[in-house]
Amino acid sequence: MVQANLDRPIETVRENAFILWFDEVRSEDINLVGGKNSSLGEMIQQLKPKGINIPNGFATTARAYRYYIRETGLEPRLRGLFDDLDVNDIQNLQERGQQARSMILHTLFPKDLQDSIALAYKKMCREYGCNTGSYAEFDPEYRALCETPTRDLDVAVRSSATAEDLPEASFAGQQETYLNVRGIKGVLEACHKCFASLFTNRAISYRDRNGFDHFDVALSVGVQKMVRSDLASSGVMFSIDTETGFKNAALITAAYGLGENVVQGAVNPDEYLVFKPTLKTGYRPILEKRSGTKAIKMVYDLGGSKLTKNVEVPEPERQKFCLTDEEILQLGRWAMQIEAHYSRVRGVYTPMDMEWAKDGCTGELFIVQARPETVQSQKAENVLKTYALKERSPILSSGRSVGTAIGQGKAQIILSTSYLDRFQPGEVLVTNRTDPDWEPIMKQASAIVTNQGGRTCHAAIIAREMGIPAIVGCGDATEAIAPGREVTVSCAEGEEGRVYQGLLPFEVKETLLDNLPTTRTNILMNIGNPEQAFSLASIPAEGVGLARLEFIIANNIKAHPLALLHFDQISDRWEQAEIEKLTKNYPHKPDFFVDKLARGIGTIAAAFYPKPVIVRMSDFKSNEYANLLGGQNFEPHEDNPMIGWRGASRYTDPKYREAFALECKAMKRVREEMGLTNVIPMIPFCRTPEEGRRVLAEMSKQGLKRGVNGLQVYVMCELPSNVILAHEFAEVFDGFSIGSNDLTQLTLGLDRDSALVAHLFDERNEGVKRMVKMAIAIAKEKGVKIGICGQAPSDYPEFAQFLVEAGIDSMSLNPDSVLKTLLMVAEVEKEINR
């Protein structure tokens, strides 16, 4: 019998070994040690020398497992057990799974296999020694444990199946993991349990559903040095946006303690988004930092009866982010390196799913697992599928959306796996959280809603894999949704998923993106909500012609910028309390405005990078500003705010100048810190060229100097004076964007908000069209860009045709109008060229 070779077995005996060390295996060795362990070996050999920290260890081989079930007579008994398996019968599945696991757990390892595992563990103990030193100093209880004669090393014991982590099928979470395992007896028991976990109910069901023979799959066990993340934090990260498949962002989730809580969805973690292209060139592009509740953390159960336990996180710690900006960026760099390496190895782009941990004593970050992402990477790239609600109703609960689909059905509230048999196909599963034991019914659900979890939790991963919508981290779903109530689960409205009352009508559109025509007229897109930017980026547009700061300010910031600058002047105590809540992590309240605005702009700019993204500086009217928190204290009353103190007139006014400076700081951070130089700021409602020059001078004071670092500044062409003085405006700004709404109302002399004259509002009016045509002609004469970002070409195809014939450079349209207008413009240009 070939024993474990602790000194690197040569290739001729590798396949006969019971034990292989991680640094002896590569990614192609899935058949020897499973996907998880072969991936660890690949990274230790290829990426650890490049600075990525990966804990070492060893793996039992597939041969060890097959030897075990053959030599002990388990194989024929297990085969007989599965003769009448029916995975669609929950009771039958549960009975067969329980019997299979019991058989294995009551069948001892052969002595030679047992000795091989024990010898390898002893070598790990000798190599690493006990976790004394800084660990012991940090944790006196652990020091006492280390001073026992055995001086055993604490390890993680993880299952690794030989069919797992293939790009087309993820077996993640199908088998068990045991943390903080110590001593030879503990390691052997954990290995035994891992072997038995090859026949968990969810693993049996998953293999059956994906067409894998139960006895073609073998189980390898990885024994890896523990990272003391129980004293710090850990989490999951993807080198791709998990909801949209956007390839240029890395998603990182983090919570305190050991990582199982994040994987299982037991906590709502922090979430961070990092933009990879400019991170690679040395910038610091953290697009999003979302704080999770992080109510509990998993730690060592030192001196207790269990390996680990959950404890509450103190409230002050919950309010903080788990990671510093530098740590977020470091993990983002590692995600890029790992993705690039595996893409080279596989010869095809391979986004990755990784688990990381931070050592609470040394402060070091580690990658503890990596596998190919198996959902977005498998989607067809030539089909655009979109969902849209046609009606809305009262919202029963909301949380983090998973995917972009819509599902509906009767709500079935299940709080324990003991009641899985109550679930009927097509229902909406509502629960606290899921783990792999829930998978047999999850595949039958029309949607999934959970109280706990983040975008990388078990429920989210399985929902993506199955193509069904899920909303996680609702907090109150099991209480807010009545059992049996018909609901609609919508993930089609951005990052917030909503559970609506009733079965609402919705539509699904599929658009083939093959062979789309190329047009002279650039087709751009209007965007307000940064949360939808990544999904909208898949629509074939040449950039963004209008990104509105008002949406970010009203929905993400919610407070008036002057209220943040002069908090002590707010008279309403309720508004003061609300602003305190919003800015709780910002000692200097104006930093909250800059941070949120920069991240919102940055997300939209990143989605379309390196294509141009034209961002209109704030254009609230005074009555709209007054509706923001604290706004009543800083805004005048105007009888007609539509033509009052708005746009450029605010920016240099002493009463508002310091608030505009915050917008400039945010824009500067996007361009210089995040590296998103594709952003083009645009000035709205600029009445005269002189006013334009004053605004540019104010921007220059704030570090945004036109022409420096490629900075261009556009102006809205929405006033008759912008057209009449277009020659002069073209000397001040780099381009125009026609705002057809304001240009129409001011040309026709009507208030579009007045019901008495609203019927007269029409961009197709000949007077308006002459103004538009004049503006285009002058811009062409002066050699500056001119486009349109108003509603008209989205609503009226004939107006879009008029614009093409007039020679406009670009049209920026609502997302749902981009494709149909692109096709129409192609036809018009074809006719013009005949």
Side-chain angles (χ1 to χ4, degrees), residues 750-762:
L750 55 85
D751 181 352
R752 69 176 189 263
D753 288 342
S754 170
L756 297 174
V757 293
H759 64 284
L760 297 172
F761 184 91
D762 191 340

Side-chain angles (χ1 to χ4, degrees), residues 418-430:
S418 302
Y419 304 108
L420 296 184
D421 56 348
R422 294 182 180 178
F423 192 83
Q424 298 299 313
E427 292 180 331
V428 174
L429 174 61
V430 183

Side-chain angles (χ1 to χ4, degrees), residues 14 20-26 29 33 37 41-42 45:
R14 283 204 321 154
L20 290 172
W21 293 89
F22 290 153
D23 60 6
E24 295 171 336
V25 294
R26 296 284 298 273
D29 291 325
V33 292
N37 292 332
E42 179 75 22
Q45 288 193 48

Side-chain angles (χ1 to χ4, degrees), residues 45 84 90 92 169 232 254 319 377 475 573 614 619 626 635 642 720 821:
Q45 288 193 48
D84 64 345
I90 298 297
N92 176 276
Q319 303 299 327
S377 59
R573 289 188 177 181
I614 301 170
D619 192 28
E635 291 298 324
M642 185 72 78
T821 306

Side-chain angles (χ1 to χ4, degrees), residues 654-805:
K655 295 189 294 295
Y656 193 80
R657 181 184 291 134
E658 59 184 335
F660 179 63
L662 298 182
E663 294 182 36
C664 293
K665 286 180 182 178
M667 190 71 72
K668 188 172 187 288
R669 181 183 297 182
V670 170
R671 289 180 55 86
E672 296 183 7
E673 184 175 315
M674 298 183 183
L676 294 163
T677 53
N678 58 324
V679 168
I680 301 172
M682 180 164 65
I683 308 304
F685 227 76
C686 186
R687 293 175 169 92
T688 68
E690 291 75 18
E691 186 175 55
R693 291 189 182 93
R694 289 197 297 273
V695 170
L696 290 179
E698 192 65 33
M699 292 175 68
S700 183
K701 287 180 188 176
Q702 302 302 326
L704 290 174
K705 185 173 179 61
R706 180 177 168 230
V708 175
N709 196 22
L711 177 64
Q712 295 183 12
V713 183
Y714 285 7
V715 66
M716 291 289 294
C717 182
E718 54 191 340
L719 307 169
S721 64
N722 297 142
V723 179
I724 295 167
L725 297 174
H727 286 91
E728 289 82 354
F729 275 103
E731 296 294 330
V732 179
F733 295 99
D734 299 288
F736 295 97
S737 184
I738 298 168
S740 58
N741 288 344
D742 275 332
L743 186 60
T744 299
Q745 72 168 341
L746 294 172
T747 299
L748 298 180
L750 55 85
D751 181 352
R752 69 176 189 263
D753 288 342
S754 170
L756 297 174
V757 293
H759 64 284
L760 297 172
F761 184 91
D762 191 340
E763 299 96 326
R764 297 167 295 179
N765 178 277
E766 186 59 33
V768 177
K769 289 172 68 176
R770 288 188 186 184
M771 295 290 278
V772 169
K773 196 168 185 178
M774 186 189 308
I776 294 171
I778 295 173
K780 292 290 184 185
E781 178 189 333
K782 298 293 291 184
V784 299
K785 293 284 186 182
I786 186 164
I788 188 168
C789 60
Q791 186 70 19
S794 293
D795 290 343
Y796 307 117
E798 66 272 28
F799 193 81
Q801 180 173 341
F802 155 72
L803 292 170
V804 174
E805 292 170 346

Side-chain angles (χ1 to χ4, degrees), residues 30 71 89 95 134 156 176 237 366-367 383 403 420 441 451 456 567 570-571 635 671 705 734 743 826 834:
I30 290 178
E71 291 297 306
D89 182 337
E95 288 176 352
S134 59
E176 301 292 356
M237 66 178 177
F366 289 85
I367 300 296
V383 178
L420 296 184
I441 66 167
N451 288 338
T456 57
F567 182 69
I570 301 172
S571 56
E635 291 298 324
R671 289 180 55 86
K705 185 173 179 61
D734 299 288
L743 186 60
R834 282 181 180 172

Side-chain angles (χ1 to χ4, degrees), residues 169-186:
S170 171
F171 279 62
Q174 297 303 313
Q175 284 81 42
E176 301 292 356
T177 291
Y178 300 93
L179 305 176
N180 185 28
V181 178
R182 288 195 191 86
I184 292 173
K185 181 181 178 184

